[in-house]
Amino acid sequence: MDFQVENAIEIAWNPSSDQNLKAQAFDFLNQLRSDAQGRQACVTLFTRSPKCSEVVRLVSLDVVNNSIQTQQLDAGSLTHLKETLLEYIRRTYGSGSQDQIDPPSLQNKLTQTLTFLFIALYQQGWESFLDDFLAQTRLQNNGSRDNIAGVVLYLRVLGSIHDEIADVLVTRSGSETKRNTELKDILRARDVPKVAASWQEILTQWRDRNDAVVEMCLKVIGKWVSWIDISLIVNQDTLNLLFQLVGRTNSTNREDKVRDAAIDTFTEIVAKKMKASDKIGMIVFLNLGDIVSQLIASPALHDLRTTSSYDTDLAEAVAKLVNNVVFDIVKVLEDNLAPAETRTQAEQLIQSFLPLLLRFFSDEYDEICSTVIPSLTDVLTFLRRAQPLPPAYSAMLTPVLNAIIQKMRYDETSSWGNEDEQTDEAEFQELRKRLQVLQKSVAAVDQGLYVEILSNVVGNTFQTLDQQGGQMDWRDLDLALHEMYLFGELTVPNGGLYSKSQPSSVAAERLIVMMSKMVDSGIASFAHPAIQLQYMEICVRYCSFFENQTGFIPQVLEHFVRLVHHTHIRVRTRSWYLFHRFVKHLRAHVGSVAETVIQSISDLLPIKAEVPSETADDDMSSDESDHSADAAFNAQLYLFEAIGCMSSTSTTPVQTQILYARTIMDPLFSEIERNLAPAKAGDAQAILQIHHVIMALGTLAHGFSDWTPGNAATAHNAPLKEVSEEFGRAAEAILIALEALKSSFDVRTAARASFTRLMGVLGVRMLPLLPRWIDGLLSESSSKDEMAMFLRLLDQVVFGFKKEIYTVLDSLLTPLLQRVFAGLAEPVTGTDDEIQLAELRREYLTFVQIILNNELGSVLVSDSNQRFFEPLIVSVTGLATTVSSGTGNLSASRLAFSVITRMADLWGGPNVATLSAQALSSNISPTPAFPGFDRFLIERFHPICWDVLGEPSFRPATDAQAKQVLNEIAGLEQTIYMKTGDMFIQHLRQSFFPAMGIDGTDFIRSMTTSPDRKGLAGYLQAFLRQKG
């Protein structure tokens, strides 16, 4: 059997083995896991001498581990396994011979096996577990732990035991937690004191002889300290050893893993849960403040701080210790029930630890800074709650805020805009966001101090700029501008900078001064892209400043005009967006310089479409790092919108507006004309050029007028007649291109985007063009997704022009619905298709609903569309009765029932019956809007309700969407009753329910007496539950 198992493992893990043979080997090994004879063979293969290959021994142990974990072994088998392995360990690790010990991978697997045996037998069966392993740490019985192989295995086992029974980061079942608690209790009572003593002995024996053993021992102490008696560690003998290790130096000042591990041990000691008074007492007893101060003053952290030899691992370890200590101090300060003496000690400690905390917070390495951010956050949260602040606490804020501000600065080694350093840049910006949160916390504690310090930082920087000019370090300027940008957090959310032409607050007043200094300082000409970009961002953020200080606008516009031509692509494309934002916000004040600005940026307007190469990077990239031709064009569109904004100010004469529009549009028309023939022939570049031109025309139109038809808030922005006529040329040009290229997805996409933008500038002049838009945008090539999006646009048109649209809608409704029905009837071939079909159904039903809700329902039954009424009803009722589990079916059903109910209400005539608590007969004859619709309600609309109720998959009791459908059904049934009265009741009693073979008395009672649909829906849900 041993040979078979060994052979199977060798075959299974040999890359050159035959695949069929390999599969057989794996099958054999899987069966082995439940075979007692096979398990025994695995034990033998692991322990035999001479040793098998490493892979055979590793797999053999894995089979053994599996059998222990899955509890396949009885007590006798476990005992036999224990004795076999213990004999192997004594032979291999107890002899002191380094030649015999297993390689690290096998030691890890053996440690795992021994840990599983510990869990199974320590309570009963292997009570001497730790004694047996401790015995392997000595070569002679002379008291010293001098067998390195035995010591390493012993420490490995201790670490593994902690990981298995005490690691709080691992989620465990209730039974495992209970078992682990019992094991820890037994360990504490039986073995922990001798284990703690062994750590002292191992540290003493090996501290000057083998750093790897010492580091390993320290890590085990750090693990176990969280759940054993703290006095076993915090005693003079152990502490003396730890202090020596923490304070040890080496002449090379290289990384010292032992020192780092000793500091980590103190961090774990501090992290141990205990009463507040005990924790503060321990921090004082350990004298951690002095230890940290000495470490900070050590060459590794002080002399070498600004060199490449700086020990960042040591700094991070000490920072982690400081973070834990400060966390515990703050916890005591926040505890109102803490004893007065403890509180006084905590107050003294926070004063002494804050400088240590800020030393690591201000470290040049962001990883070290980030280590102490949690405890600094805790400090600021405590101070925010401790109002009014005692002087001792107030004094803490200034150094904290100064440290935060300084940490916001780019460090000396960093550069800006370097493609190779994008990751570093992103990480720094992420750190800035965390620092911003800290700054806001300081402002929440003492806003006056925050305003004062920030004002000084910015003011002093501008003063230095005056003195040094272009020689000034860009990093200092960037810091001041970044702080200016953040300063708005105090002013902008509170209603802006001004209130009745006066500064709205002290912070606003300071910011206004900063803005004036910034614009006058000439900073926009500082030759660093980061500064120029920040300048524009700030001008846009604080546009309200320029509304009040209009004299600065020409100067800033001049800066923008220069910066939109920047050579750095990141600055240039971002500046196009910011220029648009600035102009849009201040459009009322820029009319006088519009012509000059338009001429100055006209060289940026020519469109040059670039077809992306097949090898183009498809990775998602942020806006800031995306320098593709597509991203550049999207940014270029902002220039067209900005020109539209500037050209259409109320102070600009209409003829001048038209002149501006024509100046921009005529070259675009020429581009369409020039590219149309090659585009029709399939030239990809020409098609993309036309796409770009159409997008530019639409965007320019949007800049001229963002008026929304039907929106009372923008009614005063309705476009001038002459401007609308001019943009009629743009619509015509786009339609010519669309009609010629309607098979192109890109052209349809651009035309659809321009349709919605042109609507704001064309107004009612858009309506006569609708049939051509529909013909182009709903072509045979259009996807269901495109149809759905266009129907959504038509919703806006119907809503916006409900008074003027009837005639146009009447003529285009039938061809429109024919296209939509064709889309609805297309076969579904996958998940994406299902989603698109659900979206098209929803938009189609919403479109019909909007027609009905905007007093345009008569268009559905007009002479032009009469023959299409029946297919419309069939499609809507078909969607209402489709309640199976497909994507979006229930949502469409609910909407369809809502549409049907609206039709019943509109065309059913006046109510002839009322809903009341007492069932009342109604003999008044129905008078529908057109003859026979009362019978139509009963014979066509009513049965679909019961078709859905009879569907086995329709379960409103357990499905929220089905419940919504049920509510709509109840609403429709009650509407039919109110429109037809006794005629409906007689039909139910004499025809409908008898044909179904059920007694409908209770339904009729609930329908006629429930005051609203909710009551009837409740009855129907109970009816379905009873039936099902």
Side-chain angles (χ1 to χ4, degrees):
M1 186 69 174
D2 296 7
F3 174 75
Q4 281 180 289
V5 174
E6 184 175 9
N7 197 32
I9 295 171
E10 294 284 13
I11 291 168
W13 267 267
N14 187 343
S16 58
S17 297
D18 176 76
Q19 289 302 313
N20 291 329
L21 204 58
K22 194 177 262 199
Q24 291 175 28
F26 274 116
D27 286 342
F28 173 75
L29 292 172
N30 283 330
Q31 292 167 14
L32 203 68
R33 290 177 179 273
S34 54
D35 177 19
Q37 193 179 358
R39 284 196 301 272
Q40 184 52 50
C42 287
V43 175
T44 305
L45 286 171
F46 177 75
T47 56
R48 86 174 184 197
S49 184
K51 292 177 178 179
C52 306
S53 70
E54 188 172 335
V55 70
V56 169
R57 299 181 72 215
L58 201 64
V59 174
S60 297
L61 261 191
D62 192 63
V63 172
V64 174
N65 284 358
N66 179 69
S67 65
I68 305 172
Q69 269 190 299
T70 53
Q71 299 179 347
Q72 296 178 32
L73 303 182
D74 57 20
S77 301
L78 283 169
T79 303
H80 175 69
L81 177 60
K82 163 202 132 181
E83 288 167 353
T84 306
L85 288 178
L86 191 55
E87 190 276 328
Y88 168 78
I89 286 160
R90 284 172 178 148
R91 186 175 77 234
T92 307
Y93 291 89
S95 65
S97 171
Q98 291 293 309
D99 301 337
Q100 293 296 311
I101 64 170
D102 301 310
S105 59
L106 270 175
Q107 285 192 48
N108 288 338
K109 186 59 81 172
L110 175 60
T111 301
Q112 191 181 34
T113 310
L114 294 170
T115 304
F116 291 152
L117 281 173
F118 168 84
I119 288 166
L121 295 174
Y122 183 65
Q123 290 191 45
Q124 189 174 358
W126 199 353
E127 292 85 347
S128 62
F129 182 94
L130 289 175
D131 289 327
D132 290 339
F133 283 94
L134 257 176
Q136 309 313 310
T137 62
R138 289 194 174 114
L139 288 174
Q140 302 157 15
N141 198 14
N142 59 1
S144 61
R145 306 287 176 188
D146 52 359
N147 179 15
I148 191 167
V151 168
V152 168
L153 182 65
Y154 169 65
L155 292 173
R156 276 182 182 275
V157 169
L158 289 183
S160 179
I161 287 172
H162 165 85
D163 294 344
E164 194 63 35
I165 71 170
D167 190 339
V168 294
L169 298 178
V170 179
T171 305
R172 296 185 174 86
S173 66
S175 59
E176 286 177 325
T177 302
K178 182 173 180 291
R179 176 204 71 193
N180 292 346
T181 302
E182 290 172 359
L183 283 170
K184 284 187 285 187
D185 287 343
I186 297 168
L187 269 168
R188 289 186 194 103
R190 188 188 290 168
D191 283 325
V192 164
K194 73 177 79 156
V195 169
S198 74
W199 292 332
Q200 281 186 33
E201 293 162 0
I202 291 168
L203 290 176
T204 303
Q205 177 81 26
W206 295 99
R207 65 182 167 182
D208 298 320
R209 296 169 60 192
N210 191 307
D211 281 0
V213 171
V214 175
E215 182 189 359
M216 202 173 181
C217 184
L218 289 169
K219 286 182 175 177
V220 170
I221 295 171
K223 288 180 175 184
W224 280 54
V225 73
S226 64
W227 53 277
I228 65 174
D229 183 354
I230 192 67
S231 65
L232 293 170
I233 306 299
V234 182
N235 57 63
Q236 210 55 56
D237 292 339
T238 305
L239 288 177
N240 285 341
L241 287 167
L242 291 177
F243 288 144
Q244 288 170 26
L245 295 172
V246 166
R248 80 179 196 172
T249 56
N250 58 65
S251 55
T252 60
N253 284 315
R254 288 182 181 163
E255 178 188 3
D256 186 342
K257 289 188 174 182
V258 168
R259 181 175 54 191
D260 296 351
I263 294 165
D264 288 341
T265 305
F266 275 114
T267 303
E268 294 300 333
I269 291 170
V270 171
K272 184 174 175 64
K273 291 180 181 175
M274 58 180 77
K275 286 194 309 184
S277 56
D278 292 344
K279 177 65 69 75
I280 293 297
M282 184 177 75
I283 292 169
V284 172
F285 174 72
L286 293 174
N287 203 15
L288 290 177
D290 282 355
I291 293 173
V292 171
S293 297
Q294 288 169 25
L295 285 166
I296 289 172
S298 69
L301 295 188
H302 184 267
D303 301 355
L304 302 175
R305 182 173 174 178
T306 55
T307 72
S308 58
S309 301
Y310 181 47
D311 192 341
T312 53
D313 288 332
L314 173 62
E316 201 165 342
V318 182
K320 192 176 175 186
L321 173 60
V322 171
N323 188 67
N324 277 19
V325 172
V326 173
F327 169 78
D328 281 312
I329 295 169
V330 172
K331 205 156 74 170
V332 172
L333 291 172
E334 288 178 331
D335 183 4
N336 294 325
L337 301 176
E341 185 184 348
T342 302
R343 194 174 184 80
T344 303
Q345 285 180 310
E347 287 171 351
Q348 291 167 352
L349 284 170
I350 197 69
Q351 294 292 342
S352 60
F353 265 91
L354 185 66
L356 308 178
L357 175 72
L358 293 180
R359 153 63 183 87
F360 292 105
F361 176 77
S362 57
D363 197 279
E364 291 77 8
Y365 287 85
D366 294 343
E367 298 87 348
I368 296 166
C369 166
S370 296
T371 303
V372 295
I373 285 179
S375 58
L376 184 56
T377 305
D378 292 337
V379 170
L380 292 172
T381 304
F382 162 68
L383 294 177
R384 195 169 72 240
R385 292 172 182 161
Q387 302 289 357
L389 279 184
Y393 288 163
S394 294
M396 295 164 64
L397 284 172
T398 300
V400 168
L401 183 54
N402 284 332
I404 296 170
I405 292 169
Q406 201 49 41
K407 192 63 195 171
M408 287 272 195
R409 185 182 183 274
Y410 278 94
D411 65 46
E412 298 300 332
T413 60
S414 61
S415 59
W416 185 94
N418 190 329
E419 291 288 330
D420 298 332
E421 295 182 13
Q422 281 187 5
T423 304
D424 291 343
E425 168 81 7
E427 287 173 355
F428 178 62
Q429 295 305 332
E430 200 55 43
L431 176 65
R432 272 187 163 180
K433 287 177 186 173
R434 296 179 71 188
L435 296 171
Q436 181 187 349
V437 173
L438 293 174
Q439 269 197 192
K440 287 168 77 173
S441 297
V442 174
V445 179
D446 189 340
Q447 185 168 316
L449 177 74
Y450 178 86
V451 168
E452 198 60 41
I453 289 179
L454 264 290
S455 301
N456 288 339
V457 167
V458 175
N460 291 340
T461 304
F462 287 141
Q463 197 172 347
T464 307
L465 179 64
D466 285 342
Q467 295 162 358
Q468 297 182 4
Q471 301 304 308
M472 187 175 178
D473 191 328
W474 70 270
R475 297 172 183 84
D476 294 323
L477 269 180
D478 174 82
L479 174 64
L481 292 178
H482 183 68
E483 290 296 358
M484 258 186 87
Y485 190 87
L486 298 184
F487 199 80
E489 299 283 342
L490 293 183
T491 57
V492 176
N494 300 325
L497 294 177
Y498 293 94
S499 174
K500 297 177 181 176
S501 300
Q502 294 299 314
S504 58
S505 63
V506 173
E509 192 176 340
R510 293 294 181 91
L511 186 55
I512 290 164
V513 172
M514 291 181 204
M515 287 294 294
S516 303
K517 281 185 179 176
M518 181 187 79
V519 177
D520 284 335
S521 68
I523 198 170
S525 303
F526 190 86
H528 193 283
I531 306 309
Q532 294 160 338
L533 201 50
Q534 282 269 41
Y535 170 77
M536 291 186 287
E537 296 277 4
I538 290 169
C539 287
V540 170
R541 182 169 171 83
Y542 305 126
C543 269
S544 58
F545 165 78
F546 297 102
E547 285 179 328
N548 197 274
Q549 306 282 333
T550 54
F552 285 115
I553 292 176
Q555 187 181 349
V556 174
L557 274 174
E558 194 180 321
H559 296 155
F560 266 104
V561 166
R562 191 179 74 254
L563 293 170
V564 294
H565 290 87
H566 205 285
T567 54
H568 194 295
I569 188 168
R570 180 169 158 191
V571 177
R572 186 168 68 249
T573 52
R574 179 67 179 168
S575 71
W576 294 348
Y577 165 73
L578 294 169
F579 173 64
H580 150 258
R581 286 275 311 277
F582 187 76
V583 166
K584 187 172 184 179
H585 194 93
L586 298 170
R587 67 192 304 173
H589 305 284
V590 297
S592 59
V593 292
E595 185 175 359
T596 308
V597 173
I598 292 169
Q599 287 174 352
S600 301
I601 66 170
S602 60
D603 60 313
L604 298 172
L605 300 180
I607 290 170
K608 295 171 187 155
E610 291 180 34
V611 179
S613 63
E614 290 182 9
T615 57
D617 192 356
D618 287 334
D619 289 347
M620 297 291 286
S621 58
S622 69
D623 291 342
E624 286 196 346
S625 62
D626 186 359
H627 304 322
S628 65
D630 197 36
F633 171 67
N634 288 333
Q636 190 182 17
L637 287 175
Y638 288 117
L639 294 178
F640 284 96
E641 186 168 347
I643 287 173
C645 290
M646 295 185 77
S647 304
S648 55
T649 62
S650 56
T651 57
T652 307
V654 67
Q655 288 309 315
T656 308
Q657 291 188 32
I658 291 168
L659 177 64
Y660 292 156
R662 199 167 289 171
T663 304
I664 304 301
M665 289 197 293
D666 283 351
L668 297 176
F669 296 156
S670 300
E671 280 297 308
I672 292 178
E673 195 176 350
R674 189 172 63 81
N675 285 278
L676 204 53
K680 284 163 79 172
D683 184 316
Q685 199 277 335
I687 291 170
L688 192 60
Q689 184 76 2
I690 288 176
H691 163 276
H692 283 15
V693 170
I694 292 172
M695 290 294 290
L697 287 168
T699 308
L700 178 71
H702 188 60
F704 259 84
S705 174
D706 56 3
W707 171 67
T708 306
N711 185 345
T714 59
H716 61 283
N717 292 341
L720 297 167
K721 173 175 168 289
E722 296 86 347
V723 173
S724 293
E725 287 173 354
E726 186 63 30
F727 274 95
R729 297 171 62 222
E732 184 63 31
I734 292 170
L735 283 169
I736 289 169
L738 178 61
E739 285 160 350
L741 300 168
K742 61 184 176 184
S743 60
S744 164
F745 173 77
D746 282 345
V747 171
R748 291 197 308 273
T749 301
R752 188 171 57 249
S754 295
F755 173 88
T756 185
R757 289 164 181 166
L758 281 166
M759 196 161 66
V761 77
L762 287 181
V764 291
R765 287 174 182 76
M766 192 71 155
L767 300 184
L769 303 174
L770 274 179
R772 292 172 67 192
W773 284 102
I774 289 169
D775 186 59
L777 292 175
L778 298 186
S779 71
E780 291 75 14
S781 313
S782 300
S783 67
K784 290 189 272 289
D785 208 26
E786 289 180 78
M787 289 185 192
M789 284 191 277
F790 187 63
L791 283 173
R792 203 175 304 144
L793 296 181
L794 284 182
D795 292 346
Q796 296 173 24
V797 178
V798 172
F799 178 75
F801 299 111
K802 50 190 156 195
K803 292 176 183 168
E804 299 93 349
I805 200 173
Y806 183 90
T807 307
V808 176
L809 192 59
D810 190 40
S811 64
L812 63 78
L813 189 65
T814 293
L816 172 65
L817 291 181
Q818 282 174 330
R819 301 277 176 90
V820 173
F821 288 171
L824 291 170
E826 284 176 11
V828 174
T829 55
T831 307
D832 287 349
D833 249 14
E834 267 190 36
I835 293 168
Q836 286 192 14
L837 178 61
E839 187 70 10
L840 180 57
R841 285 171 173 172
R842 188 166 70 84
E843 292 305 331
Y844 157 60
L845 291 167
T846 302
F847 178 63
V848 176
Q849 192 174 45
I850 280 176
I851 289 174
L852 294 168
N853 288 343
N854 284 284
E855 301 175 13
L856 292 165
S858 55
V859 80
L860 298 173
V861 289
S862 69
D863 292 342
S864 308
N865 301 304
Q866 185 74 55
R867 66 185 182 82
F868 217 73
F869 184 69
E870 178 61 22
L872 173 70
I873 295 299
V874 169
S875 75
V876 174
T877 53
L879 291 173
T881 54
T882 306
V883 290
S884 56
S885 58
T887 303
N889 282 350
L890 284 169
S891 177
S893 172
R894 177 188 61 76
L895 208 47
F897 271 113
S898 176
V899 167
I900 293 166
T901 304
R902 185 70 183 133
M903 287 178 176
D905 191 43
L906 273 180
W907 299 325
N911 290 350
V912 297
T914 56
L915 306 173
S916 63
Q918 299 300 318
L920 302 172
S921 61
S922 170
N923 298 319
I924 305 170
S925 296
T927 52
F930 34 86
F933 193 70
D934 48 351
R935 297 302 314 170
F936 193 90
L937 289 175
I938 293 169
E939 292 168 6
R940 292 290 297 276
F941 287 172
H942 158 67
I944 64 171
C945 299
W946 288 85
D947 289 345
V948 172
L949 294 172
E951 177 65 45
S953 62
F954 184 66
R955 297 190 182 91
T958 56
D959 187 322
Q961 283 192 312
K963 191 170 184 178
Q964 290 177 335
V965 174
L966 188 67
N967 277 332
E968 293 296 338
I969 287 172
L972 176 57
E973 290 284 57
Q974 287 191 324
T975 302
I976 294 171
Y977 165 65
M978 288 189 287
K979 298 299 178 186
T980 58
D982 201 47
M983 180 181 176
F984 186 34
I985 301 297
Q986 293 308 314
H987 171 77
L988 293 175
R989 284 179 177 155
Q990 295 170 14
S991 173
F992 185 75
F993 284 128
M996 288 182 67
I998 61 174
D999 180 2
T1001 307
D1002 289 342
F1003 169 78
I1004 292 169
R1005 183 186 304 113
S1006 179
M1007 179 181 71
T1008 56
T1009 60
S1010 297
D1012 55 31
R1013 62 174 61 184
K1014 193 174 177 183
L1016 178 57
Y1019 163 79
L1020 288 172
Q1021 189 162 321
F1023 169 79
L1024 290 176
R1025 196 182 295 116
Q1026 189 178 4
K1027 189 184 78 163

